[in-house]
């Protein structure tokens, strides 16, 4: 039932991709077509489009991910061996709640099968059903958001791209263990919101901090389950998004580095990109961001959670009446 929500990849685009050389990424991907559906038991990464942006009232463009797919599959893959499938798109339902339901069911099924979904949205309120997809797994969830804003709203506000975090925090069952923001810009967030992040013991890194030393963001991803990327966190001169002009933000190199860090993390089980404005220029950058996530995935050490402690150096640090124990990978 979960896969019945998916619509196949456009047949004309598949014909175009088949015209690429056997060296291109497109030749290594299994597609959901009108004739066949990928064997779920054989894939490790699933690419899914979600054509839903009613959570952002400023979007007037027609949802279309064709350019992203064309750019992504025309790239050359690295030394990759994981089976990757493009499962097609979830169309917007009669109501936005219908889309949420379909996305939650599908992603929950994939995560149970240890398949990593790469979600291409759509407005960022889709993070809420993605978070709810972990309900059936009965685990606490760590969310990392690469975003210029915290996306808090009032408790009574409807779920939207600018208020989804509030709903995640207050809704039952509350499975959120930790939230971390990477790249917030102070003038987009009230002091009350910044204080609330600290009060809730969440983590936040300003854009300048991360840009000055991109490597400080890598440990943040080590405990993340969901990584959400708001494309408005990238400056317009690099993203090509001049519909919502952003003079400051991450550049293309920095955002690809963060995407690679997310892919390297052994614990990340879902990666999502949101608030795409459907321009060809932005599609090129999105394709490269996805490429770097997959590249990072193939560099995983698979040490989390660690099994055999014999492969680690054990450090015992006495503090007052307690001992802290650290393990360092060889």
């Amino acid at each position: 039932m979960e896969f019945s929500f998916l619509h196949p990849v456009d047949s004309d685009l598949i014909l175009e991709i088949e015209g690429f050389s056997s060296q291109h990424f497109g030749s290594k991907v299994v597609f959901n077509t009108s004739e066949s559906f990928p064997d779920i038991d054989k894939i490790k990464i699933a690419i899914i489009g979600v054509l839903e942006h009613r959570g952002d009232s400023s979007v007037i463009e027609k949802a279309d991910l064709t350019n992203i797919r064309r750019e992504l599959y025309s790239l050359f893959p690295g030394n990759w061996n994981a089976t990757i499938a493009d499962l097609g798109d979830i169309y917007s339902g009669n109501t936005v709640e219908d889309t949420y339901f379909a996305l939650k069911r599908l992603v929950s099924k994939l995560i149970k099968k240890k398949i990593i979904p790469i979600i291409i949205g759509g407005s960022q309120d889709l993070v809420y059903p993605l978070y709810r997809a972990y309900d059936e797994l009965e685990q606490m969830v760590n969310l990392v958001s690469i975003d210029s804003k915290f996306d808090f709203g009032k408790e009574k506000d409807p779920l939207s791209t600018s208020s989804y975090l509030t709903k995640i925090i207050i809704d039952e069952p509350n499975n959120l263990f930790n939230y971390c923001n990477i790249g917030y810009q102070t003038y987009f967030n009230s002091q009350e919101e910044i204080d609330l992040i600290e009060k809730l013991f969440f983590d936040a890194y300003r854009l300048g901090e991360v840009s000055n030393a991109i490597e400080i963001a890598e440990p943040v991803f080590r405990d993340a389950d969901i990584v959400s990327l708001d494309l408005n966190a990238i400056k317009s001169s690099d993203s090509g998004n001049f519909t919502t002009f952003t003079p400051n933000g991450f550049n293309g190199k920095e955002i690809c580095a963060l995407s690679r860090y997310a892919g390297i993390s052994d614990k990340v089980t879902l990666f999502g990109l949101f608030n795409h404005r459907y321009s060809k220029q932005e599609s090129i950058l999105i394709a490269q961001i996805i490429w770097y996530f997959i590249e990072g995935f193939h560099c995983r050490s698979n040490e989390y959670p660690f099994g055999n402690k014999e492969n680690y150096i054990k450090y015992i640090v006495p503090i007052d009446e307690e001992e802290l124990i650290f393990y360092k990978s060889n």
Side-chain angles (χ1 to χ4, degrees), residues 22 59 72 78 99 147 157 166 194 211 227 260 287:
S22 60
V59 177
L72 176 61
T99 311
D147 202 333
D157 286 351
T166 299
I194 296 171
S211 293
V227 176
R260 186 173 183 272

Side-chain angles (χ1 to χ4, degrees), residues 272-289:
L273 305 96
F274 305 97
N275 296 336
H276 172 36
R277 291 292 175 162
Y278 309 112
S279 69
K280 182 170 174 54
Q281 296 93 325
E282 194 173 47
S283 298
I284 296 171
L285 179 58
I286 292 171
Q288 294 182 12
I289 291 169

Side-chain angles (χ1 to χ4, degrees), residues 2-292:
E2 291 82 1
F3 303 113
S4 64
F5 300 124
L6 291 162
H7 293 258
V9 179
D10 181 73
S11 56
D12 290 339
L13 179 61
I14 290 178
L15 284 174
E16 186 178 339
I17 293 168
E18 287 174 349
F20 297 162
S21 80
S22 60
Q23 301 285 315
H24 285 102
F25 180 34
S27 66
K28 319 292 184 187
V29 177
V30 185
F31 291 94
N32 174 13
T33 69
S34 53
E35 288 83 27
S36 64
F37 191 84
D39 184 347
I40 291 298
D41 294 324
K42 293 182 179 178
I43 66 175
K44 293 293 185 184
I45 297 174
I47 298 170
I48 302 159
V50 186
L51 308 184
E52 174 65 78
H53 49 62
R54 281 174 285 187
D56 185 353
S57 57
S58 68
V59 177
I60 57 174
E61 300 94 334
K62 182 182 177 183
D64 185 2
L65 305 180
T66 303
N67 282 327
I68 295 176
R69 287 187 165 101
R70 182 180 291 116
E71 295 296 335
L72 176 61
Y73 300 133
S74 66
L75 300 175
F76 292 98
N79 187 21
W80 301 346
N81 52 30
T83 305
I84 301 167
D86 188 329
L87 300 184
D89 297 323
I90 295 177
Y91 288 4
S92 57
N94 291 328
T95 66
V96 70
E97 287 76 18
D98 291 339
T99 311
Y100 294 160
F101 175 80
L103 182 59
K104 174 187 170 182
R105 289 289 299 271
L106 174 63
V107 168
S108 180
K109 178 82 170 179
L110 293 173
I111 293 171
K112 282 181 181 177
K113 287 186 166 290
K114 301 190 183 305
I115 298 168
I116 296 179
I118 298 176
I119 306 297
I120 310 171
S123 45
Q124 203 174 8
D125 52 298
L126 296 171
V127 174
Y128 178 73
L130 293 173
Y131 160 72
R132 290 269 75 109
Y134 287 78
D135 287 353
E136 295 179 25
L137 279 68
E138 298 180 351
Q139 69 171 71
M140 299 302 288
V141 177
N142 292 326
L143 169 63
V144 172
S145 179
I146 304 169
D147 202 333
S148 59
K149 302 177 182 178
F150 295 134
D151 296 321
F152 284 124
K154 295 179 181 177
E155 193 170 334
K156 295 182 180 178
D157 286 351
L159 179 58
S160 72
T161 192
S162 58
S163 67
Y164 72 90
L165 186 57
T166 299
K167 193 161 180 65
I168 286 176
I169 292 171
I170 65 175
D171 270 19
E172 298 287 344
N174 195 319
N175 301 329
L176 184 67
F177 184 75
N178 190 48
Y179 166 79
C180 180
N181 173 285
I182 296 177
Y184 79 94
Q185 297 176 40
T186 308
Y187 38 74
F188 287 144
N189 301 278
S190 69
Q191 191 58 50
E192 288 82 0
E193 291 174 324
I194 296 171
D195 292 341
L196 180 59
I197 288 288
E198 189 173 339
K199 183 179 178 182
L200 294 172
F201 300 103
F202 291 160
D203 301 307
Y205 295 80
R206 290 179 62 177
L207 172 65
E209 288 180 86
V210 184
S211 293
N212 289 335
I214 195 78
E215 64 275 4
I216 69 169
E218 187 275 325
V220 175
F221 294 103
R222 295 183 194 178
D223 265 341
D225 297 290
I226 303 172
V227 176
S228 163
L229 166 58
D230 182 344
L231 292 160
N232 292 319
I234 307 167
K235 59 183 178 182
S236 292
S237 58
D238 281 44
S239 71
N241 172 15
F242 294 98
T243 307
T244 51
F245 181 69
T246 306
N248 291 305
F250 290 113
N251 62 34
K253 180 182 177 183
E254 291 164 346
I255 205 68
C256 286
L258 293 175
S259 176
R260 186 173 183 272
Y261 288 154
I264 287 174
S265 168
D266 290 334
K267 199 165 184 286
V268 169
T269 50
L270 191 152
F271 182 59
L273 305 96
F274 305 97
N275 296 336
H276 172 36
R277 291 292 175 162
Y278 309 112
S279 69
K280 182 170 174 54
Q281 296 93 325
E282 194 173 47
S283 298
I284 296 171
L285 179 58
I286 292 171
Q288 294 182 12
I289 291 169
I290 294 171
W291 188 97
Y292 271 101

